[in-house]
Amino acid sequence: MSSNAPPTVAEYVVNRLADLGIDRVFGVPGDYAFPFNDAIEKCERLEWIASANELNAAYAADGFARVYGASILSTTYGVGELSAINGVMGSKSQRLPVFFIVGSPSTRIQRQGLVTHHTLGDGVFNNFQSISAAACCVSTNLTPDNVIDEMERVIRDALKFSAPAYIIVPMDYALMPIIGTPIKGAPLAHIKRAKSDPASLAAAVNFVMGKVNAAKSIVAIPSNLVASYGLIKQFTELLDKSKMSFAATPMSKGVVSESHPNYLGLYSGITSSPSDLKSVVESADLVFDIGGLIPEDINSGNWTNKLDPEKTIVLGDHFVKLGSTIFSGIALEDMLVELTKRMSPVAPVQTAKKLAALPMVGAPSDATSSANFYPRLQKMLRSGDVLVAETGTCMLYMTPMLLPDGVGFQGQALWGSIGWATPATEGICMANKAGRTIVVTGDGSHQLTANEIGTMGRYGIKPIIFVLNNALYGVEIVVSETGWKYDDLAKWNYAQLPAAMGCSEWFCAKVSTVAELDAAIEKANSFDGASYIEVMIPASESQPVPVALQNHVYKSNIPN
Ligand SMILES: Cc1ncc(C[n+]2csc(CCOP(=O)(O)OP(=O)(O)O)c2C)c(N)n1
Ligand SMILES: [Mg+2]
């Protein structure tokens, strides 16, 4: 190809996405995707990150998008894309723009009806597209003459709805030159993702300010969408100007620093922390639900959030709503900016109880346990760190835990697919330039995706990984009863895994006493490299919760 030749479809796609400032692609190669694999490897702005499998790649892309704002995932047709689907669905639930590129059999093969690998042998080539597209908010089937327009549409919609985009390209089209004039895009930070109807915006701002001026007590609750849309700065400016008190939910924990002077704690119904935060939020004259809170069980204390719809203003992604009053065509960003201009300081609200650091317990010779592990985890965190929480018992301990200044938090409360945290940590660590990435995972979850450690070692990233070894799917016992063999795990030697996967420079330890845990944390804190610490947790901790609480949580409280 001479330097003046137009790019191929594959080259155009990857370069147009690199314009967004995304600097890597997570994936697994495959023959139908070779034009993309080649184009990515040739693109100086992109690095290929070879994940151990497509599900891991999707989780890693999810993690990267949580910090950078968008990411790229590349798989082959059928077998590759279907393996990635669970991870991409998780990104859809978390509202993350992941560009999901799939290479498919050439149109020449398709037109001849030839039976090829990665098909059902029926000569049908479009039966997986609807499955993959269901995990996305926009999808496209590219050709040389639609690729320029289609890439603009796909990028615009993925960013506007903050959700994955599916891009499928037959192999022969991927290798053809594009037809038309290429478009050079802007970096993500310079893109306004949604625009407002000016009249709707003005009316909504006036309406909201009327409610603000009539309220004596106001609480704001940001959702994860504030982070997904890249609006943390705008939201923080609103907090600083208005002095509004705010609470997080499990899904939005760590979006704004928990040491912010206006921070109240974690609002999740009867599991709120501090516990009186539930009544403080629910008795406020006005609540700003920023982004749209998701009333999912874990995010709402098993549906025990009781926000009065007549006192809760939802600043949605493209609307503003209070009760039956709805303003449509309003970008969340514009609303935050306009309210910041208009709002004066409001009276703070307060909880009687304050969140505090966990008490440091445990003598050096004590066996490691949840009681002595989490205070030490909390103490080791420092500004810039991102704490990643896997679904399972550790999530229950970490969501109420107060985070030190400037510490981020990532979990998957809504989608809750165990195994997510290990590869997501890879993506988060690669995007997080501010500090360390520290993950806590249960052993059962880790067994699903532990092979991504080899990829972490290969690319030289330096996460700190805690694997809690109770040899059980412990949380399942907590929510049901002991004795089922299906909750027992194969007994792995976790601390030996990194070495077996080629991570020869890693600091690895298995700790079963408090003294060993303290020594391992001290080493990880000072070690210039990745650390992997296997912490023994007694299986006896995972006892069933009292029947009354089980009934409350899992039976009586389930809405009809
Ligand atoms: C993909 C997937 N499969 C199954 C489940 C059901 N599940 C939820 S938590 C859990 C057990 C987690 O065990 P572990 O990671 O060891 O954490 P522990 O509670 O023991 O600390 C399982 C199997 C799930 N959430 N996601
Ligand atoms: Mg376990």
Side-chain angles (χ1 to χ4, degrees):
M1 187 181 86
S2 81
S3 57
N4 290 331
T8 66
V9 169
E11 288 165 346
Y12 183 74
V13 168
V14 303
N15 277 282
R16 181 64 190 83
L17 293 176
D19 290 348
L20 294 171
I22 305 169
D23 63 0
R24 63 200 70 211
V25 178
F26 298 92
V28 177
D31 56 352
Y32 300 128
F34 280 166
F36 279 100
N37 304 141
D38 294 352
I40 292 160
E41 192 151 327
K42 275 194 300 185
C43 177
E44 285 175 2
R45 294 182 291 166
L46 292 172
E47 184 178 13
W48 175 257
I49 307 295
S51 284
N53 59 54
E54 290 84 355
L55 177 60
N56 289 4
Y59 288 152
D62 177 290
F64 191 89
R66 284 166 183 251
V67 178
Y68 181 71
S71 63
I72 311 174
L73 166 68
S74 168
T75 76
T76 193
Y77 178 73
V79 293
E81 60 184 309
L82 295 179
S83 293
I85 282 288
N86 177 7
V88 183
M89 280 286 181
S91 300
K92 188 178 190 183
S93 78
Q94 188 75 20
R95 303 288 299 266
L96 300 167
V98 175
F99 295 95
F100 180 16
I101 305 172
V102 174
S104 70
S106 76
T107 59
R108 294 181 62 226
I109 285 178
Q110 295 189 28
R111 282 187 212 293
Q112 290 178 71
L114 295 175
V115 173
T116 62
H117 56 287
H118 308 336
T119 69
L120 303 178
D122 52 5
V124 176
F125 291 91
N126 61 3
N127 42 2
F128 309 129
Q129 281 187 37
S130 58
I131 301 173
S132 296
C136 299
C137 70
V138 56
S139 69
T140 186
N141 209 318
L142 294 181
T143 64
D145 60 347
N146 77 6
V147 59
I148 295 170
D149 291 346
E150 283 292 276
M151 284 307 292
E152 297 313 299
R153 179 178 73 88
V154 161
I155 292 169
R156 190 187 59 232
D157 280 6
L159 298 183
K160 179 175 173 186
F161 298 108
S162 200
Y166 180 63
I167 299 166
I168 184 165
V169 193
M171 204 175 175
D172 50 349
Y173 283 170
L175 291 169
M176 288 179 187
I178 63 164
I179 298 167
T181 309
I183 291 174
K184 173 86 183 153
L188 191 57
H190 298 175
I191 297 174
K192 193 163 165 23
R193 305 196 193 177
K195 297 188 179 108
S196 301
D197 171 73
S200 274
L201 177 64
V205 172
N206 285 336
F207 174 81
V208 171
M209 284 309 299
K211 300 293 173 192
V212 166
N213 292 333
K216 290 200 175 58
S217 53
I218 307 178
V219 176
I221 312 179
S223 77
N224 54 304
L225 218 61
V226 171
S228 298
Y229 274 121
L231 298 175
I232 295 173
K233 180 172 160 283
Q234 290 84 340
F235 176 62
T236 309
E237 283 170 1
L238 173 61
L239 289 177
D240 292 342
K241 169 94 185 295
S242 68
K243 308 282 181 237
M244 247 190 310
S245 303
F246 76 101
T249 68
M251 284 185 71
S252 64
K253 184 177 175 67
V255 166
V256 180
S257 176
E258 295 190 355
S259 69
H260 192 285
N262 310 14
Y263 183 62
L264 293 168
L266 199 80
Y267 174 61
S268 55
I270 57 167
T271 53
S272 293
S273 166
S275 52
D276 60 336
L277 180 59
K278 174 172 163 59
S279 61
V280 166
V281 169
E282 292 172 6
S283 62
D285 291 343
L286 191 63
V287 173
F288 275 112
D289 164 354
I290 301 182
L293 301 178
I294 297 187
E296 177 255 4
D297 43 3
I298 293 169
N299 204 41
S300 66
N302 288 290
W303 312 286
T304 55
N305 281 353
K306 296 281 178 258
L307 289 173
D308 180 348
E310 298 302 325
K311 293 199 295 185
T312 305
I313 297 186
V314 184
L315 304 184
D317 46 3
H318 304 288
F319 64 91
V320 170
K321 178 173 185 278
L322 174 68
S324 55
T325 308
I326 296 171
F327 300 87
S328 54
I330 295 170
L332 179 56
E333 178 176 2
D334 291 338
M335 202 62 204
L336 294 177
V337 169
E338 290 307 312
L339 287 179
T340 304
K341 284 185 203 153
R342 294 272 295 269
M343 275 183 78
S344 317
V346 299
V349 300
Q350 271 164 1
T351 53
K353 295 177 200 150
K354 292 276 166 251
L355 283 173
L358 297 167
M360 193 56 73
V361 296
S365 59
D366 285 355
T368 42
S369 67
S370 296
N372 55 47
F373 171 69
Y374 290 101
R376 285 166 174 79
L377 172 72
Q378 188 179 38
K379 190 156 169 255
M380 79 179 284
L381 297 172
R382 47 192 195 223
S383 187
D385 289 349
V386 174
L387 181 62
V388 184
E390 179 61 278
T391 296
T393 308
C394 61
M395 173 74 87
L396 304 178
Y397 280 97
M398 284 193 280
T399 36
M401 189 172 96
L402 182 65
L403 300 175
D405 185 26
V407 174
F409 184 87
Q410 296 292 348
Q412 215 198 27
L414 175 60
W415 190 242
S417 183
I418 61 166
W420 165 84
T422 299
T425 294
E426 175 182 298
I428 291 166
C429 191
M430 287 177 172
N432 174 21
K433 313 286 184 217
R436 305 172 302 175
T437 301
I438 301 173
V439 60
V440 180
T441 173
D443 46 1
S445 305
H446 194 51
Q447 287 199 5
L448 274 82
T449 52
N451 52 358
E452 197 65 10
I453 289 166
T455 305
M456 297 185 198
R458 173 176 172 182
Y459 294 97
I461 62 168
K462 301 172 183 174
I464 298 177
I465 299 173
F466 288 99
V467 178
L468 306 183
N469 181 347
N470 58 1
L472 283 175
Y473 286 141
V475 80
E476 300 213 312
I477 289 173
V478 170
V479 298
S480 64
E481 42 190 7
T482 47
W484 295 107
K485 288 196 183 57
Y486 60 65
D487 282 325
D488 294 344
L489 296 174
K491 292 188 170 41
W492 288 18
N493 293 312
Y494 296 95
Q496 295 175 20
L497 292 177
M501 290 189 214
C503 307
S504 50
E505 308 290 305
W506 285 31
F507 163 60
C508 300
K510 175 174 181 170
V511 301
S512 37
T513 65
V514 168
E516 289 169 356
L517 175 62
D518 282 336
I521 289 177
E522 199 181 319
K523 169 87 182 184
N525 275 334
S526 58
F527 182 61
D528 183 21
S531 297
Y532 185 101
I533 304 170
E534 175 183 356
V535 183
M536 302 308 290
I537 299 286
S540 56
E541 275 191 15
S542 304
Q543 294 303 315
V545 288
V547 172
L549 187 57
Q550 283 187 47
N551 284 341
H552 175 71
V553 167
Y554 288 95
K555 295 177 187 155
S556 54
N557 206 43
I558 294 175
N560 292 326

